[in-house]
Amino acid sequence: MNKPKVIVTRRWPAEVENQLKALYDVQLNESDIPMTADELKLAMQTADALLPTVTDPITSDIIGVENRRVKVIGNFGVGYNNIDINSAKEHGVVVTNTPHVLTDCTADIAMLLLLMSARRAAEGERLILNRQWKGWGPTQLVGQKVTGKTLGLIGFGRIAQAMARKAHHGFGMKILFYVPSTPDPAIVEELQAVRCGSLEELLTEAHFVSLHCPGGAATKHLLNEQRLKLMRPSAHLINTARGDVVDSDALIKALKEHWIAGAGLDVYENEPHLNPGFLELDNVTLLPHLGSASEETRVAMGNRVLNNIAAFFARSEPEDRVV
C-alpha cells in the first residue's frame, strides 16, 4: 500500500521530521522559507495531508482550490485562526491543532515579558550593548515591583491559568480575570482569583494586564485606544496571544504618550512585519514569537500532529480535531 503524501510548510524539529520520513511520503521545506499562496494551492492538490504552522494563511481560496486532494490539515500550533475554519467545514476538510503541550512554555514567556517590562530589562540591556552605562545610580531605570501586585488576565484558558499559578504562588500576585465562559470553580479557588464583571473593570484595576484570548474577527482590536486609556499610568500590557487582539497604532500612542508604563510583546499584527513605531520606543519589550520555542515543546507539538494525522489515516477520530 502506498504511503500517504504529506507536505510540511516549514522546518520542524529533526526528531519529528525523521518520524515523518519513516511513516509517510513526505515533502519537507528544507529552505524554511514560508510557502506562497500558489505553493499552498499546489500542496492542496498534490498531498493527502497539509501540515502548516500558525503563520501560514490557509484561506478559503486555498482550501477551495480545484482538484483538491488534501483531506486533513494538521496545524502546528494551538491557535488555528490562520485557517478559514468555515471553508474547511464547507469542503469537508478535517482540521487539527496541538493543545496542552505548549501551555507552560508560553506562560513562562508571558511571565518573562511581565518581569522584563516591569523592571525595564530591555532598556538596561540596550544601555550595556550601546556602551552607554556609566555605573549604578539611585534613579537609574527605576521600574515597578512585581511581587504582591495585581495581574489581570483577559481569557482564562490553560495558558492564562498556568501564568496565574506562576504569578500567584511564585510572586504573591492577586489574580483578576475576565472571560465570557464559566471557569472551573476549583481553579478559581486555588488561585484566589476574582472574576471581573467586564473587561473595563479589569483594565481599571490591574497593575499588569496579560492577553490570553484567541485571535480572529471577534477579538480583533479588542484593546483599542478607548480601552487602553482605562489602564493605570503605571500599568503594563503583556501579549502572548495574537497580535491583532491589540490595535498597534493605539498601543504605540499609549506608550509614546505614557498612558501606560510599558508593554511586553511576543506577537504582532501582520508579523513578521511589525509596526515600525514599536522600534522607536524605549518602554516596550519585543520578542520574536517565542511562546512555544523550547526543544521539549516543539517536539511535543510535532508529535501531537503526527498522532492526529495517524488517527485520521487509520479512520479514527483525531484527538485534537477542531473541525
Side-chain angles (χ1 to χ4, degrees):
M1 183 180 295
N2 292 333
K3 294 179 179 179
K5 175 69 179 291
V6 173
I7 293 180
V8 185
T9 66
R10 298 291 299 273
R11 289 302 306 267
W12 284 15
E15 177 181 327
V16 184
E17 288 188 342
N18 289 336
Q19 290 185 72
L20 284 164
K21 289 176 184 177
L23 294 169
Y24 302 106
D25 173 12
V26 63
Q27 176 183 316
L28 300 174
N29 186 346
E30 301 287 352
S31 70
D32 203 32
I33 297 171
M35 296 172 69
T36 66
D38 285 341
E39 288 171 335
L40 288 167
K41 285 181 181 178
L42 181 61
M44 294 292 284
Q45 293 170 325
T46 55
D48 300 298
L50 178 69
L51 310 187
T53 70
V54 294
T55 57
D56 293 308
I58 311 301
T59 63
S60 60
D61 193 39
I62 290 168
I63 293 172
V65 67
E66 288 186 9
N67 302 316
R68 173 184 49 79
R69 176 175 161 186
V70 162
K71 302 176 185 67
V72 60
I73 298 174
N75 209 40
F76 188 91
V78 65
Y80 47 88
N81 61 304
N82 58 305
I83 301 170
D84 191 316
I85 293 298
N86 290 330
S87 181
K89 190 181 298 184
E90 178 186 341
H91 289 89
V93 177
V94 171
V95 177
T96 67
N97 68 338
T98 62
H100 307 295
V101 293
L102 49 73
T103 298
D104 281 323
C105 283
T106 304
D108 287 349
I109 287 290
M111 281 303 302
L112 173 66
L113 286 168
L114 186 154
L115 291 163
M116 289 183 72
S117 189
R119 299 302 302 273
R120 301 174 67 176
E123 290 179 75
E125 183 182 44
R126 287 194 292 271
L127 202 66
I128 295 285
L129 294 177
N130 294 331
R131 301 184 179 184
Q132 296 172 339
W133 188 45
K134 305 301 182 183
W136 183 89
T139 60
Q140 178 181 257
L141 292 178
V142 174
Q144 273 115 31
K145 182 179 178 180
V146 170
T147 299
K149 294 292 182 67
T150 299
L151 170 63
L153 301 162
I154 300 175
F156 202 60
R158 286 181 292 267
I159 296 171
Q161 290 168 16
M163 184 186 188
R165 287 191 178 94
K166 299 171 195 297
H168 179 67
H169 298 303
F171 292 88
M173 298 185 81
K174 177 184 176 182
I175 306 299
L176 305 179
F177 68 94
Y178 172 74
V179 68
S181 57
T182 303
D184 184 340
I187 295 173
V188 175
E189 183 178 356
E190 174 209 340
L191 298 168
Q192 298 178 303
V194 176
R195 184 178 187 176
C196 293
S198 67
L199 177 57
E200 287 72 18
E201 178 187 349
L202 181 144
L203 293 171
T204 302
E205 296 294 326
H207 298 107
F208 298 91
V209 174
S210 188
L211 290 159
H212 299 279
C213 48
T219 57
K220 183 176 175 64
H221 291 181
L222 182 70
L223 285 197
N224 52 24
E225 183 170 321
Q226 181 181 1
R227 284 178 168 148
L228 287 167
K229 284 181 176 178
L230 296 175
M231 294 174 65
R232 297 167 180 254
S234 59
H236 294 256
L237 178 68
I238 309 303
N239 190 8
T240 56
R242 286 291 180 264
D244 61 4
V245 176
V246 182
D247 182 335
S248 294
D249 289 330
L251 178 56
I252 289 166
K253 186 176 181 182
L255 291 165
K256 189 176 292 186
E257 299 183 8
H258 300 285
W259 305 347
I260 62 175
L265 309 176
D266 191 43
V267 289
Y268 310 89
E269 289 191 278
N270 306 312
E271 63 179 67
H273 309 292
L274 72 161
N275 191 315
F278 285 122
L279 304 179
E280 300 171 4
L281 299 168
D282 286 326
N283 55 342
V284 64
T285 300
L286 307 171
L287 295 180
H289 205 146
L290 297 180
S292 62
S294 71
E295 292 180 18
E296 299 89 342
T297 296
R298 292 286 168 85
V299 169
M301 290 167 68
N303 287 336
R304 198 95 185 183
V305 177
L306 281 171
N307 291 340
N308 286 324
I309 64 170
F312 176 83
F313 289 127
R315 300 187 179 181
S316 299
E317 183 69 9
E319 182 177 359
D320 303 316
R321 181 172 180 169
V322 296
V323 66

